[in-house]
Amino acid sequence: MSELQARAIAHANIALAKYWGKADEKLNLPAVPSVSITLAPLATHTHVRFDPKLESDRFLLGGKAAQPEETARVTKLLDRVRALAGLRLRAKVTSSNDFPTASGLASSASGFAALAAAARAAAGLPFDRSAISALARASSVSAARSAVAGFGELPLAGKAGDRLAARMIAPPDHWPLRIVVAVTTEGRKPVGSTGGMQHTARTSPYYASWVAAAPRLCAQIRAGILARDLPAVGTAMEHSTLAMHACAMAAAPAVVYFRPATLAALETVRTLREGKTCVPVWATADAGPHIKALCHVRDVKRVEAALRKTAGVLRTIVCEPGAGVELIP
Ligand code: PMV
């Protein structure tokens, strides 16, 4: 690729151990550690070109000029890259998602990971996965995890401070799991994750308990991944999910991401697991109304069929552990 431009692809990720709450709003550091799976095929493609003719940054998302607040978040990341590279040029950023934007399908995660990789490369900075992850994390904590392949973790900052980055726990072929996404709406979510978690931290009486409980769940999930113990991972993942949502629902006023179809899909997963079928499957949901069911590849057809039949589920997408962020020619 010629100078001052680069293209990158990053995949969405789904947190098994949830991040909800910030330890440092300015540095954008998480209050709890998290563990995730990077998801193929859900991808964002981003092209960045620094251009002497531009007077301000331009951001096209899905072929259309993005909202001013979205462009401002992109400029913030580009400013960090410009400062690192000693560059003053403005950039044109062209990005497209192959899944619904801002609806709890983690488009910000793949979006900022792809942007961080493409912007650094366009500015002439070397490909450094950890630096890309830390740069993406400064914009969106979950985006740090889309930098790494397969099973990833974002620990607490500790001494790393602003260099906090995700690291891989295990590669994609470590464990043939599938994540069936039950899409319940194509619309944008009413409350963004940053606003939702700040409001939760300020007003939910359960916030301190959530922050205290999350590390143990995260450690159980991490150990369960390494041991390929699906019941251990699934049980702790559901616990982490419902604890996070309960904490948000207890905010004043409540932050509720669930829709009727979310509960119906949760019930489908529970029935599959606890009913006659005994399918080992567990569910999670991020800051949006979709349910993501975690199962072994051998059970994916049954899980997908049951979720498709669930009232309010519009469609399903089957995902598998995928690649980390990459530059593409
Ligand atoms: O990093 P953000 O602002 O996109 O927040 C992500 C929050 C959750 O998706 C709900 C949990 C997570 O760990 O991804």
Side-chain angles (χ1 to χ4, degrees):
M1 194 152 291
S2 71
E3 250 183 276
L4 295 177
Q5 61 169 315
R7 194 182 300 279
I9 180 173
H11 294 98
N13 73 77
I14 175 76
L16 310 183
K18 301 296 178 189
Y19 145 65
W20 195 251
K22 297 182 195 293
D24 184 323
E25 291 192 7
K26 208 158 156 272
L27 298 180
N28 208 32
L29 300 175
V32 295
S34 55
V35 165
S36 61
I37 304 181
T38 299
L39 301 178
L42 306 180
T44 300
H45 283 83
T46 299
H47 178 252
V48 175
R49 180 203 301 271
F50 288 100
D51 184 343
K53 292 197 287 293
L54 288 176
E55 283 179 5
S56 58
D57 295 322
R58 291 190 58 203
F59 177 33
L60 294 172
L61 181 57
K64 287 190 270 188
Q67 303 291 323
E69 29 336 325
E70 290 168 333
T71 307
R73 285 183 81 186
V74 165
T75 287
K76 236 175 154 178
L77 187 150
L78 293 172
D79 283 344
R80 291 196 169 92
V81 172
R82 281 187 279 255
L84 274 172
L87 197 70
R88 299 183 62 147
L89 301 178
R90 302 286 123 184
K92 182 176 175 193
V93 175
T94 313
S95 194
S96 61
N97 293 321
D98 59 9
F99 56 92
T101 299
S103 60
L105 272 185
S107 59
S108 78
S110 51
F112 282 111
L115 175 64
R120 278 182 56 96
L125 297 167
F127 185 84
D128 172 340
R129 200 171 287 285
S130 188
I132 292 168
S133 175
L135 177 63
R137 195 261 313 130
S139 294
S140 157
V141 166
S142 61
R145 303 183 313 238
S146 279
V148 301
F151 301 82
E153 68 178 334
L154 185 65
L156 289 176
K159 285 203 197 91
D162 200 26
R163 294 188 321 282
L164 176 67
R167 54 192 183 218
M168 192 171 77
I169 301 173
D173 62 2
H174 167 71
W175 200 5
L177 296 184
R178 293 296 179 267
I179 297 88
V180 182
V181 182
V183 178
T184 57
T185 164
E186 307 285 2
R188 295 173 82 84
K189 59 191 174 193
V191 186
S193 47
T194 298
M197 68 181 77
Q198 283 170 339
H199 176 68
T200 303
R202 277 196 292 271
T203 67
S204 174
Y206 301 155
Y207 181 69
S209 312
W210 156 253
V211 172
R216 188 178 45 85
L217 291 171
C218 190
Q220 283 170 359
I221 290 167
R222 188 184 193 286
I225 288 169
L226 290 173
R228 298 188 186 89
D229 182 342
L230 188 53
V233 170
T235 304
M237 176 185 81
E238 275 195 5
H239 194 175
S240 172
T241 303
L242 294 174
M244 177 203 116
H245 281 275
C247 179
M249 284 184 208
V255 179
V256 183
Y257 291 107
F258 286 6
R259 308 291 309 140
T262 318
L263 288 174
L266 263 179
E267 192 55 27
T268 296
V269 169
R270 187 199 295 270
T271 306
L272 273 171
R273 187 173 71 231
E274 292 174 2
K276 276 198 254 46
T277 47
C278 283
V279 178
V281 56
W282 285 264
T284 184
D286 281 327
H290 314 299
I291 282 292
K292 289 105 175 188
L294 181 72
C295 63
H296 194 275
V297 63
R298 73 174 85 89
D299 296 315
V300 71
K301 290 240 146 43
R302 281 214 281 185
V303 171
E304 198 189 7
L307 283 170
R308 268 208 190 136
K309 280 197 301 219
T310 301
V313 171
L314 303 176
R315 62 196 173 99
T316 53
I317 311 170
V318 176
C319 301
E320 60 185 60
V325 68
E326 298 292 351
L327 293 173
I328 44 182

